[in-house]
Amino acid sequence: MDPDSEISFDFAPFLCQYKSGRVVRHGSNATVPAGTDPLTGVVSKDIHVGAARARVYLPPGTAESPAKAKLPVIVYFHGGGFVVGSPADPSEHGYLNGLVARAGAIGVSVYYRLAPEHPLPAAYEDGWAAVRAGANLAHNMAVRGLLVVHPYFNGTEAVGAEASLGPEVREYVGRVWRFVSPGSVGLDDPLVNPFVDDDDARAAVAKIPCERVLVCVAEHDAWLKERALWYYRELRASGYAGEVELFESKGVGHAFHFDKLHSPEGVQLQERTVAFIRK
């Protein structure tokens, strides 16, 4: 069979990789340019500082003299299983415009390289480069809070309702992680399982350099909700000295807020997010 047409790995709904190495991403590849958003008045610009690339968002009224405004800074990392997504994606861009406008904050949406062309830890390296460059964006920048929305964590041992997913699903989850991180030790890699049974890993998590953490989950997020709740529980028990809060959106699934931003549940999530940023 032609290796350019024989599937090597099917990572639905995101992409297929063929045995030739060819990668086909599903869905739209549409992008939107940075600029002034006519709905919110937010001004965005793509920047490149050293190894860091990001789309920076300024709330209305601050574009002319951002240095005079003392504003919170949101450093944002898009989702997509490490294989799809971009700050220029229309849904990501629209979400940041709305969040920055309502929070009155500077937004920094990070570009990072995608697997499988650039396996992990490439995305982590790009994210760290952006955080370090972020100090150039605001005077006396300090990390105040960590906002974790529908996060991707995992582990070899099932937690909570994960056990009901069945061994074939658990096996597929493991293959997905090895696909994006082929050099990894597996699902108990601290990158995806920060509370692996390792004293050093737990101690590192307990030292997260921020004052508070908000974990957001969706009631019908069948794949990731249980692990996010596990992260919330384990963080509280880790010795972390800050505040740990939990917010659950009822009746909706994973990443619902991109398609239903203006629904009652989407508005509630954004209001909770904005309150956390402003706190």
mmCIF file of all heavy atoms in Angstrom, residues 25-31 89-90:
data_model
loop_
_atom_site.group_PDB
_atom_site.id
_atom_site.type_symbol
_atom_site.label_atom_id
_atom_site.label_comp_id
_atom_site.label_asym_id
_atom_site.label_seq_id
_atom_site.Cartn_x
_atom_site.Cartn_y
_atom_site.Cartn_z
ATOM 1 N N ARG A 25 -4.477 17.907 8.674
ATOM 2 C CA ARG A 25 -5.311 18.428 9.761
ATOM 3 C C ARG A 25 -6.729 18.643 9.252
ATOM 4 O O ARG A 25 -6.931 19.167 8.160
ATOM 5 C CB ARG A 25 -4.717 19.730 10.311
ATOM 6 C CG ARG A 25 -3.472 19.478 11.138
ATOM 7 C CD ARG A 25 -2.839 20.746 11.683
ATOM 8 N NE ARG A 25 -1.835 20.419 12.687
ATOM 9 C CZ ARG A 25 -0.581 20.038 12.404
ATOM 10 N NH1 ARG A 25 -0.185 19.983 11.133
ATOM 11 N NH2 ARG A 25 0.256 19.721 13.369
ATOM 12 N N HIS A 26 -7.695 18.230 10.079
ATOM 13 C CA HIS A 26 -9.097 18.336 9.699
ATOM 14 C C HIS A 26 -9.629 19.736 10.037
ATOM 15 O O HIS A 26 -9.048 20.470 10.822
ATOM 16 C CB HIS A 26 -9.922 17.285 10.430
ATOM 17 C CG HIS A 26 -9.407 15.896 10.266
ATOM 18 N ND1 HIS A 26 -9.063 15.358 9.038
ATOM 19 C CD2 HIS A 26 -9.151 14.925 11.185
ATOM 20 C CE1 HIS A 26 -8.646 14.117 9.200
ATOM 21 N NE2 HIS A 26 -8.685 13.828 10.493
ATOM 22 N N GLY A 27 -10.758 20.051 9.454
ATOM 23 C CA GLY A 27 -11.397 21.322 9.767
ATOM 24 C C GLY A 27 -10.760 22.475 9.019
ATOM 25 O O GLY A 27 -9.920 22.326 8.133
ATOM 26 N N SER A 28 -11.147 23.669 9.428
ATOM 27 C CA SER A 28 -10.714 24.882 8.743
ATOM 28 C C SER A 28 -9.316 25.297 9.182
ATOM 29 O O SER A 28 -8.937 25.149 10.347
ATOM 30 C CB SER A 28 -11.687 26.023 9.047
ATOM 31 O OG SER A 28 -11.202 27.252 8.544
ATOM 32 N N ASN A 29 -8.549 25.783 8.226
ATOM 33 C CA ASN A 29 -7.242 26.368 8.520
ATOM 34 C C ASN A 29 -7.299 27.895 8.488
ATOM 35 O O ASN A 29 -6.277 28.555 8.351
ATOM 36 C CB ASN A 29 -6.204 25.873 7.502
ATOM 37 C CG ASN A 29 -5.939 24.386 7.631
ATOM 38 O OD1 ASN A 29 -5.867 23.858 8.732
ATOM 39 N ND2 ASN A 29 -5.812 23.707 6.491
ATOM 40 N N ALA A 30 -8.502 28.450 8.612
ATOM 41 C CA ALA A 30 -8.674 29.894 8.515
ATOM 42 C C ALA A 30 -7.937 30.610 9.648
ATOM 43 O O ALA A 30 -7.832 30.108 10.770
ATOM 44 C CB ALA A 30 -10.164 30.247 8.574
ATOM 45 N N THR A 31 -7.405 31.768 9.344
ATOM 46 C CA THR A 31 -6.772 32.633 10.334
ATOM 47 C C THR A 31 -7.294 34.049 10.159
ATOM 48 O O THR A 31 -7.818 34.405 9.102
ATOM 49 C CB THR A 31 -5.244 32.637 10.192
ATOM 50 O OG1 THR A 31 -4.889 33.116 8.884
ATOM 51 C CG2 THR A 31 -4.660 31.249 10.399
ATOM 52 N N ASP A 89 -6.272 31.769 15.126
ATOM 53 C CA ASP A 89 -7.511 31.036 14.872
ATOM 54 C C ASP A 89 -8.697 31.955 15.185
ATOM 55 O O ASP A 89 -8.702 32.643 16.207
ATOM 56 C CB ASP A 89 -7.557 29.792 15.753
ATOM 57 C CG ASP A 89 -8.838 29.008 15.578
ATOM 58 O OD1 ASP A 89 -9.828 29.295 16.298
ATOM 59 O OD2 ASP A 89 -8.863 28.126 14.729
ATOM 60 N N PRO A 90 -9.713 32.000 14.338
ATOM 61 C CA PRO A 90 -10.821 32.936 14.562
ATOM 62 C C PRO A 90 -11.485 32.804 15.925
ATOM 63 O O PRO A 90 -11.810 33.814 16.560
ATOM 64 C CB PRO A 90 -11.796 32.602 13.427
ATOM 65 C CG PRO A 90 -10.925 32.063 12.336
ATOM 66 C CD PRO A 90 -9.844 31.301 13.033
#
